[in-house]
Amino acid sequence: MLSILIPTYQRDCSALVLDLLSQAESFQRTSNGAFSYELIVGDDGSKGEAIEQLERALAGKPHCRLLRQTRNHGRAANCNQMAREAKGDWLLIIDDDAAVCSDTFIRDYWAVRLQADVVCGSLRNPPPPAPKGHELRYRYEKKAEPRRRAAWRNRRPYDEFTTFNVLFSRRAFDAVQFDERCTEYGYEDVLMGLMLKERGFSVLHADIPLVHTGIDSNENFLRNTEASMRVLARIGEPLTSYAGASRTLRTLRRFGLGRVPIYIYTHWGRDLRRQLQGAHPSLFLFHTYKLCYYATVKQGIQAAASSL
């Protein structure tokens, strides 16, 4: 059985759910009993109209259920909870800001499921232009497009690991699971890739695409980036040996320049943020801002620890 798991928070993902249900039901009818499925949406404490619309869309749908958390626990804990509830031998996790762009999405995953312990699908960006006020995230995603190709990712299958849409064997997921220390945005994918590598599970990247519809506004993307830097600063190893911001800061410290990014953030952080929220954001300044924010947060954590 295939368990399709969609973690969601404050988003009406009913269009995605209905498209996946339609494909799965069609495949089941033509598979002569070789394919069965369930679909679980895990809501992580949403409030308001989005969750109400989702509830109405899912009401009465066969093979489909909604799990609602009373408060927000984070995507990692949400995914782990859905996996515990799931009945399938294969777990297909899909982000709630995805859109189906192929009539054979479910079939394609089912066809390759035995080729690796974990199969990562691919991400497509929506066509240009970027929506006004969303230029930073769109520019960031377009810059990353060459690294989205399966042939590129399979050269470094664990380093390029992503869970935008990914299929786990039950054995692999139960042995690893998401790290629930990731209560804010960011790095649960990276930690999962590192754990899969450590445990020796095979990872295959395949051109099985979904469209990424969640191109955040400049402000939301910056907030999520800041959240990810807080996660990095709080968790430490093994992330700090992997992430670009922590590795760069370590290099600066070796040359006695560790306080430079803190100085930049203190004196020009607001100016950098203002530029990144404009119509022509610089990716170089974006990565500079990440480094400076991370260094400042890291200094605060270290100062707090030394005062205990």
Side-chain angles (χ1 to χ4, degrees):
M1 173 185 278
L2 175 68
S3 294
I4 305 167
L5 311 179
I6 303 176
T8 188
Y9 178 65
Q10 294 297 106
R11 186 185 299 275
D12 177 14
C13 58
S14 54
L16 170 65
V17 170
L18 295 177
D19 285 343
L20 293 170
L21 285 174
S22 176
Q23 282 200 21
E25 182 61 28
S26 175
F27 187 27
Q28 186 178 53
R29 286 198 306 268
T30 59
S31 68
N32 295 320
F35 172 79
S36 61
Y37 74 95
E38 65 175 349
L39 190 149
I40 302 173
V41 179
D43 176 71
D44 198 20
S46 297
K47 308 292 183 184
E49 181 62 22
I51 186 61
E52 292 173 4
Q53 290 179 349
L54 183 60
E55 282 188 314
R56 290 193 292 268
L58 270 56
K61 295 292 187 296
H63 310 290
C64 183
R65 52 192 164 127
L66 175 64
L67 300 180
R68 294 195 62 178
Q69 302 288 346
T70 57
R71 63 181 181 87
N72 185 270
H73 295 273
R75 182 176 180 273
N78 191 12
C79 288
N80 288 343
Q81 178 61 33
M82 284 190 294
R84 286 191 290 269
E85 296 278 346
K87 302 174 183 176
D89 298 318
W90 303 92
L91 309 176
L92 176 56
I93 298 176
I94 300 172
D95 276 3
D96 65 349
D97 59 352
V100 175
C101 57
S102 165
D103 293 337
T104 59
F105 176 78
I106 297 295
R107 292 172 184 261
D108 291 342
Y109 259 118
W110 193 248
V112 300
R113 70 191 187 281
L114 299 179
Q115 295 183 22
D117 297 307
V118 183
V119 180
C120 287
S122 56
L123 177 152
R124 288 183 185 173
N125 290 313
K132 186 177 180 180
H134 298 244
E135 295 86 358
L136 178 59
R137 180 64 184 270
Y138 193 80
R139 190 168 291 191
Y140 178 88
E141 293 295 341
K142 292 296 287 184
K143 179 73 172 179
E145 277 185 348
R147 303 199 316 270
R148 306 290 194 201
R149 300 188 183 99
W152 170 272
R153 290 182 288 141
N154 277 319
R155 298 174 192 171
R156 306 169 63 193
Y158 302 98
D159 293 342
E160 300 295 332
F161 186 77
T162 176
T163 60
F164 178 67
N165 68 99
V166 58
L167 180 70
F168 290 89
S169 68
R170 168 65 73 175
R171 182 175 70 92
F173 189 91
D174 286 351
V176 178
Q177 301 190 33
F178 285 100
D179 191 323
E180 296 189 12
R181 292 177 296 171
C182 297
T183 55
E184 293 189 274
Y185 176 93
Y187 283 107
E188 65 266 20
D189 290 12
V190 175
L191 283 167
M192 174 65 82
L194 293 173
M195 289 188 289
L196 289 169
K197 183 177 183 179
E198 181 182 333
R199 298 291 184 89
F201 289 107
S202 57
V203 173
L204 172 70
H205 294 268
D207 282 320
I208 306 176
L210 290 173
V211 175
H212 179 215
T213 64
I215 302 296
D216 298 326
S217 68
N218 298 335
E219 174 61 25
N220 285 342
F221 188 43
L222 284 173
R223 287 178 181 173
N224 285 339
T225 298
E226 290 164 353
S228 71
M229 293 299 98
R230 292 193 296 270
V231 170
L232 175 61
R234 187 177 71 252
I235 290 180
E237 293 293 357
L239 284 180
T240 48
S241 294
Y242 175 88
S246 52
R247 290 167 61 191
T248 301
L249 180 61
R250 188 174 298 173
T251 300
L252 289 173
R253 284 175 170 174
R254 283 205 301 268
F255 289 97
L257 301 172
R259 293 194 60 83
V260 170
I262 299 171
Y263 182 89
I264 293 173
Y265 181 79
T266 302
H267 290 81
W268 296 296
R270 290 182 180 178
D271 295 328
L272 286 172
R273 229 177 178 281
R274 191 176 302 114
Q275 196 282 332
L276 295 172
Q277 293 181 81
H280 304 286
S282 162
L283 290 181
F284 172 76
L285 292 180
F286 171 66
H287 290 294
T288 300
Y289 181 80
K290 282 178 64 176
L291 169 63
C292 296
Y293 185 87
Y294 167 73
T296 304
V297 172
K298 187 71 174 177
Q299 180 195 48
I301 291 175
Q302 290 172 339
S306 64
S307 67
L308 295 177

